[in-house]
Amino acid sequence: MSTIDDPPAAKRGRTESTPSTSTSTEVRALEFYCGVGGLHYSLLRARSNERKQNTSVVGSFDINPHANDVYAHNFGTRPIANSLSAIPSTRFDKLNANLWLMSPPCQPFTRQGAQKDTTDGRSQSFLRLIDILPELKNKPSHLLVENVVGFEVSDTRNALLQVLRDNGFTYKEFILSPRMFGVPYSRPRYFCIAKRKELKWAMDEKFSSEIVHREPPPCFLSDPKHWVKAPHIDDLEPTNPTEATVARLKREEGQTAEEAAKVAKEHAKINNAEPKKTYGVATLEGFLEVSSIGKQSDGSDRCDRIDAQKNVEESSSSLYSEYAVPVKELQKAKLSVSAVLPSDRKCNCFTKSYGKFVKGTGSFLVEEEFDWREWDGQVGVVDGSGDAADGTGDGTGDGTTTSNTGDETVPRTNPQPPRARYFTPREVANIHSFPPDFTFPPNITTNQQFALLGNSLSVACVAPLLEYLLNDQ
């Protein structure tokens, strides 16, 4: 049996290991919809060093070949690529896992989707998993389910909870965002954690199963010090992560997405008038590949500090060139851009389309604050000479452009956006709290990296939940 500290050599098409009898301290996990390994990394963080030798992932499942390439690259074992609907329940019994980790497809429940719920074909594999749970001879003793906000008002969630109740589980539900753990990232997600009812919960009286909780679980890893590195941990600013603290309303039958959004906005306005718990959140600076903080206070002489600062500026400039946001994308999303500075304490959720488009796919970085409402959208970003990068400059190097009014050419000056770039894949991984040794194999393109990370999860949210779940009283 392989532990999470010592993954076996990659084997195509299977991740099974020899079953052994589970004990109260041993964890044998199955990862469903494993992606690039966010659940695996979360389990690794949740287990203390002395317990890691008693922890193993005995099977992982995903049908995305690129995700499986990345998973095998990092863990040495290739996930099973079969459809979960086609795998017999006897195979799960054979694996004898006592922990199920599940992050099923979110499209049936997303705010902007059709919200077909149980009638969506992408829900069927998950519904099948919970349907076979009663049939298993070796049922798991612990489960975790992750999905988008909106799942908590779905029929699929109701089916899950009914199966848990009928099969002797107690459960707790949460909606959490990384900003509750100090990470400047707005990615609210629904979680359900469950265990056999003979296994007791810590602080059970506070975290009942009657409501969806909107605060971190009571455990060691809920402290931001585990997710924000020095020196940034010393600069946390109190924030109310309303993306997770304001309840989502279920869309009424016949209601359009726009109508539902309007009702939700009014609902949020009412909720925001009430006092909310705040959480200390760091700046984005500490999650970037190039950080200016701490570069000039290492005791070196002035010349060394100047050289170091020059290297920082050159590295930053290189990233702005390599990951530049195309001007045409800025023009399309002019009034709905999500531009952030390294000093900001929030960036929006990255989706699988990040790097391809700007609008609605996640935040991008800019060098300085800019009022996008002042930009006419017809002039590109100013290049190094001060002329517009799209060739509309007049050659004076002062950032001016010209416009024709009849027979007359009138010089004019337009506010120019600062240089803008996408976050790099490494930075997106950092913001998802993936460890520094997480890497992509060379066959995965940049756009594929963005897509895989956009479909992943926040380790900072999941690891504390697993620590709380596995802390049997």
Side-chain angles (χ1 to χ4, degrees):
M1 179 177 66
S2 62
T3 68
I4 58 177
D5 281 336
D6 185 24
K11 299 178 182 179
R12 182 169 296 277
R14 61 189 295 267
T15 59
E16 301 169 20
S17 58
T18 305
S20 64
T21 304
S22 295
T23 68
S24 60
T25 58
E26 182 184 10
V27 171
R28 294 174 53 82
L30 281 181
E31 285 181 277
F32 299 98
Y33 320 97
C34 65
V36 297
L39 292 168
H40 197 142
Y41 283 124
S42 299
L43 178 59
L44 191 153
R45 286 296 300 270
R47 298 290 279 175
S48 60
N49 289 332
E50 62 269 20
R51 292 184 177 181
K52 283 181 181 176
Q53 292 303 318
N54 289 326
T55 304
S56 59
V57 174
V58 297
S60 53
F61 303 85
D62 205 289
I63 60 173
N64 185 319
H66 298 308
N68 291 345
D69 286 345
V70 179
Y71 191 101
H73 176 73
N74 285 282
F75 298 109
T77 307
R78 191 172 185 83
I80 299 166
N82 297 350
S83 168
L84 291 172
S85 300
I87 299 175
S89 59
T90 52
R91 190 171 189 182
F92 300 133
D93 262 327
K94 180 182 176 183
L95 291 170
N96 191 28
N98 58 6
L99 171 64
W100 280 18
L101 305 172
M102 295 177 279
S103 181
C106 65
Q107 293 91 338
F109 319 104
T110 55
R111 179 178 56 189
Q112 295 180 337
Q115 297 183 2
K116 291 184 177 181
D117 201 346
T118 55
T119 63
D120 194 307
R122 291 163 291 192
S123 295
Q124 300 314 303
S125 62
F126 178 70
L127 290 170
R128 194 253 175 175
L129 281 178
I130 60 178
D131 281 345
I132 67 171
L133 190 63
E135 305 172 9
L136 298 178
K137 295 178 181 178
N138 298 317
K139 294 180 178 66
S141 56
H142 301 75
L143 298 95
L144 178 143
V145 177
E146 181 264 2
N147 214 283
V148 294
V149 174
F151 186 91
E152 77 280 7
V153 293
S154 70
D155 292 335
T156 302
R157 172 257 192 177
N158 294 339
L160 166 67
L161 299 188
Q162 188 62 54
V163 169
L164 292 176
R165 288 190 292 264
D166 291 347
N167 288 272
F169 287 85
T170 58
Y171 58 83
K172 300 186 186 300
E173 298 175 282
F174 294 82
I175 289 180
L176 303 174
S177 177
R179 291 206 292 163
M180 292 175 167
F181 303 89
V183 181
Y185 186 36
S186 175
R187 190 184 179 95
R189 289 296 183 267
Y190 165 90
F191 300 93
C192 176
I193 52 177
K195 65 172 71 178
R196 301 287 296 178
K197 62 183 177 182
E198 62 268 20
L199 304 172
K200 304 305 179 183
W201 300 85
M203 296 186 67
D204 192 26
E205 66 286 352
K206 179 180 179 181
F207 289 86
S208 73
S209 60
E210 300 301 318
I211 63 171
V212 178
H213 299 279
R214 298 172 182 274
E215 61 179 302
C219 63
F220 183 66
L221 290 177
S222 289
D223 193 314
K225 69 182 180 182
H226 302 291
W227 311 108
V228 180
K229 62 185 181 181
H232 310 279
I233 188 62
D234 298 322
D235 180 31
L236 303 184
E237 185 174 286
T239 302
N240 174 18
T242 55
E243 69 271 13
T245 58
V246 176
R248 171 76 59 83
L249 299 179
K250 187 173 183 178
R251 187 191 299 180
E252 299 295 333
E253 186 174 353
Q255 192 178 43
T256 66
E258 292 76 15
E259 292 169 340
K262 185 177 180 180
V263 173
K265 187 175 182 179
E266 291 301 315
H267 178 71
K269 188 183 299 182
I270 295 171
N271 276 269
N272 287 339
E274 302 173 1
K276 299 291 182 181
K277 184 176 180 179
T278 59
Y279 299 87
V281 178
T283 66
L284 287 162
E285 180 93 32
F287 298 83
L288 304 181
E289 288 197 59
V290 179
S291 173
S292 61
I293 295 181
K295 296 294 184 179
Q296 301 179 43
S297 58
D298 56 2
S300 57
D301 61 34
R302 183 173 182 275
C303 290
D304 288 341
R305 293 198 303 271
I306 292 174
D307 288 342
Q309 182 61 27
K310 183 178 179 181
N311 290 335
V312 168
E313 292 172 355
E314 289 176 351
S315 298
S316 178
S317 181
S318 175
L319 291 178
Y320 271 96
S321 297
E322 184 177 358
Y323 294 95
V325 179
V327 173
K328 64 180 181 180
E329 290 299 324
L330 293 175
Q331 292 169 332
K332 290 178 185 177
K334 184 170 71 75
L335 297 179
S336 58
V337 296
S338 175
V340 295
L341 297 166
S343 58
D344 284 339
R345 299 176 189 271
K346 176 186 175 183
C347 67
N348 287 335
C349 181
F350 300 109
T351 74
K352 65 180 181 180
S353 296
Y354 190 69
K356 294 181 180 179
F357 311 106
V358 170
K359 187 176 181 179
T361 65
S363 300
F364 59 88
L365 278 169
V366 291
E367 287 188 307
E368 60 188 37
E369 196 167 351
F370 181 75
D371 188 349
W372 296 87
R373 295 169 299 181
E374 297 296 319
W375 183 39
D376 64 9
Q378 298 179 2
V379 179
V381 178
V382 175
D383 66 16
S385 69
D387 287 336
D390 63 357
T392 59
D394 63 2
T396 63
D398 60 0
T400 62
T401 61
T402 60
S403 61
N404 292 320
T405 56
D407 297 330
E408 187 179 5
T409 299
V410 181
R412 63 185 175 89
T413 301
N414 294 318
Q416 294 294 307
R419 286 199 302 175
R421 73 168 176 88
Y422 294 107
F423 285 83
T424 71
R426 178 65 258 175
E427 291 167 343
V428 176
N430 292 344
I431 291 169
H432 281 90
S433 300
F434 276 49
D437 58 359
F438 168 78
T439 57
F440 287 96
N443 65 302
I444 304 298
T445 67
T446 298
N447 280 342
Q448 289 169 347
Q449 292 175 33
F450 282 137
L452 293 170
L453 289 168
N455 282 332
S456 190
L457 50 78
S458 168
V459 175
C461 288
V462 179
L465 287 170
L466 284 175
E467 181 194 2
Y468 179 55
L469 171 65
L470 297 172
N471 181 20
D472 299 328
Q473 300 297 295

